[in-house]
Amino acid sequence: MEWHPDLYGGAWLLHRYSDVEWGLRSPLLSARRTGGWVKRLEDRQRRLSRFQALFSRALLFLDEPEHGPLRDLLALGFSAEAMAGLRPQIHQLVEDAVIGLPEAGPFDLVSQLAQDIPIRVMSALLGLPIEPSPALREASDAIAEFIGSPSPTEEIALAAQEATLLLANLFSRPERLEPSGFAARLMKTEPTRSDPLNLTAQLVMLLFAGHETTRALITNSVWAVVSRPALWQEFVSGRLEAAALVKEVLRLDGPVQMTGRRVKHDMQLGGRSLHSADLVLLHLGRANRDPERFLRPDEFWPQRAEGVGLAFGSGPHMCIGAALTRMEAIAVLEALRTHRPGLRLVPSQVNGAASSRSANPVYSSFKRLMCTTEPATL
Ligand code: HEM
């Protein structure tokens, strides 16, 4: 365990698999971590109060006793039954999106495919008629930038606040909600009925969590397979399952690389003194490459039987959208195999067509992923 003064105003970093798993499950650490982020912008705190009020209520940032009952409620929207009900819709909208890709010439897989699918899926799940738009994408990017910034500036925090309020506004007119959708059903339940802000906080979190991460999983999955032409051929010929590929992408290049906790009370850990409210960063991405846990950890090996590791976390806060996001990424790979078997990456030297990774330390994703369906350009 190391202390990093430069990360998020100072943080302990855990990166061994067993340590990270301990951190995710330990009752000695608290999930309530947002206060510290906003407090570092001390003098502007009042300008960020609406942001803090919404952000700090999201399930992800709650401890017991508030966390458990709220999680049970939200998990209903992601049950096996709910997922089975959504499956045909997801397959249809993915199919339509893939068929609509340009037949020839370079295209950016992020902007032309990956970024709109999660918004359409969340819209179907929540029963909220929202269309993908530049404003929604910018909102998601602004929140991601805030979460990913080791030292958010006032500008970044205010942009994230704007974005959060824009997303919250989508839910401000209940008459727009599909009565059988998950958002409308949630509105009728405790504890959300008695506290509308609480409900809005969960819906905003779902919209953001569902969009940012799934966009990344789709793109990282396509990149992982298409950048290895022999693997893509194995997949196209039916010798490899999309589910196995997505599982290995989650382990080796998971969209969420880090999460955090705060120390509840002064304590000793690994011979070091940790103080109350110290930030502990749990590096899921590095844990998932720990040689003590995974055989040949840096190798992309879809046949391995070691699972996704900590890509979705572990313990009480483990991701509730795991089945949904996997379903989306698998559907995309399968649709590309059917409709674009000649998919290739565009080599970076082609004019203006460079793919680029995002620099956000929390989210592993691509800003652009340039592809073509013309034969053998790699
Ligand atoms: C590849 C995609 C995804 C990845 C890698 C991912 C990763 C994670 C991780 C690591 C956590 C635990 C964080 C912690 O313990 O601090 C988490 C929690 C959560 N995720 Fe995901 N997630 C993904 C997709 C989704 C989707 C699609 C949704 C919903 C639409 C979602 C909703 C949530 C929620 C609500 C929590 C909080 C659960 C709780 O606090 O009890 N995630 N996710």
Side-chain angles (χ1 to χ4, degrees):
M1 185 175 56
E2 305 135 31
W3 174 253
H4 289 259
D6 48 323
L7 281 179
Y8 301 92
W12 298 101
L13 183 69
L14 302 188
H15 54 79
R16 288 173 48 182
Y17 193 95
S18 53
D19 292 345
V20 174
E21 191 173 33
W22 170 85
L24 290 165
R25 307 182 78 99
S26 175
L28 300 174
L29 302 180
S30 168
R32 293 188 184 278
R33 53 196 179 274
T34 62
W37 291 342
V38 179
K39 256 191 218 124
R40 268 182 298 114
L41 302 157
E42 211 75 76
D43 45 340
R44 298 115 189 180
Q45 205 179 354
R46 276 200 320 189
R47 291 179 61 190
L48 293 167
S49 58
R50 287 185 301 165
F51 180 41
Q52 171 69 342
L54 267 178
F55 224 63
S56 62
R57 282 165 190 242
L59 182 71
L60 189 58
F61 304 123
L62 297 180
D63 287 336
E64 300 311 331
E66 290 88 3
H67 175 262
L70 191 56
R71 180 175 167 108
D72 290 348
L73 190 64
L74 292 184
L76 293 175
F78 297 85
S79 64
E81 199 189 354
M83 292 302 100
L86 265 183
R87 187 183 297 272
Q89 245 175 306
I90 292 181
H91 277 265
Q92 191 58 56
L93 71 85
V94 166
E95 189 90 352
D96 292 347
V98 167
I99 289 172
L101 284 172
E103 289 286 345
F107 62 89
D108 173 18
L109 192 113
V110 178
S111 60
Q112 304 237 12
L113 184 74
Q115 73 184 8
D116 290 351
I117 288 171
I119 294 178
R120 293 190 194 284
V121 169
M122 286 312 290
S123 165
L125 186 147
L126 295 172
L128 175 72
I130 41 174
E131 278 296 308
S133 68
L136 269 184
R137 281 174 223 130
E138 280 163 23
S140 186
D141 287 347
I143 299 175
E145 185 170 8
F146 174 76
I147 294 178
S149 299
S151 282
T153 58
E154 180 186 20
E155 199 189 354
I156 291 176
L158 285 171
Q161 171 163 271
E162 278 295 297
T164 307
L165 297 176
L166 182 137
L167 296 186
N169 202 31
L170 292 172
F171 299 99
S172 63
R173 288 172 35 214
E175 70 279 5
R176 287 188 70 208
L177 299 177
E178 167 65 42
S180 61
F182 188 49
R185 282 188 286 133
L186 272 180
M187 271 184 185
K188 299 191 188 108
T189 57
E190 287 293 335
T192 53
R193 194 177 46 193
S194 54
D195 180 357
L197 199 60
N198 189 4
L199 173 67
T200 308
Q202 312 317 322
L203 294 173
V204 168
M205 173 198 62
L206 288 178
L207 212 50
F208 169 73
H211 175 238
E212 196 61 30
T213 55
T214 304
R215 172 175 69 168
L217 182 61
I218 292 172
T219 322
N220 297 2
S221 297
V222 173
W223 179 80
V225 193
V226 182
S227 65
R228 298 173 172 92
L231 204 67
W232 177 248
Q233 279 319 312
E234 258 190 85
F235 176 57
V236 168
S237 65
R239 281 173 287 136
L240 258 177
E241 294 285 326
L245 293 167
V246 171
K247 174 172 63 70
E248 183 65 341
V249 170
L250 281 159
R251 183 194 69 82
L252 196 66
D253 189 14
V256 179
Q257 289 287 302
M258 262 195 267
T259 185
R261 295 288 187 270
R262 286 200 186 271
V263 173
K264 282 188 183 164
H265 307 288
D266 291 359
M267 63 188 244
Q268 295 291 316
L269 188 66
R272 317 294 288 267
S273 298
L274 278 62
H275 299 291
S276 169
D278 276 359
L279 182 62
V280 180
L281 291 176
L282 307 167
H283 206 302
L284 311 171
R286 281 178 67 184
N288 271 357
R289 289 173 183 246
D290 183 346
E292 286 182 19
R293 172 65 171 74
F294 295 98
L295 212 61
R296 307 204 298 269
D298 295 327
E299 199 174 304
F300 188 84
W301 181 22
Q303 292 85 355
R304 72 169 71 235
E306 296 159 303
V308 301
L310 299 175
F312 291 118
S314 179
H317 289 277
M318 191 159 174
C319 183
I320 62 172
L324 178 66
T325 194
R326 282 175 143 173
M327 200 194 294
E328 293 177 56
I330 290 169
V332 168
L333 285 183
E334 287 176 346
L336 286 171
R337 166 166 70 185
T338 307
H339 300 290
R340 293 290 184 277
L343 192 69
R344 301 281 183 272
L345 293 184
V346 175
S348 55
Q349 62 270 28
V350 173
N351 272 351
S355 297
S356 58
R357 282 249 177 198
S358 143
N360 193 310
V362 172
Y363 300 105
S364 170
S365 64
F366 281 84
K367 279 200 277 197
R368 299 210 311 167
L369 184 64
M370 299 307 298
C371 297
T372 176
T373 44
E374 290 161 2
T377 48
L378 193 82

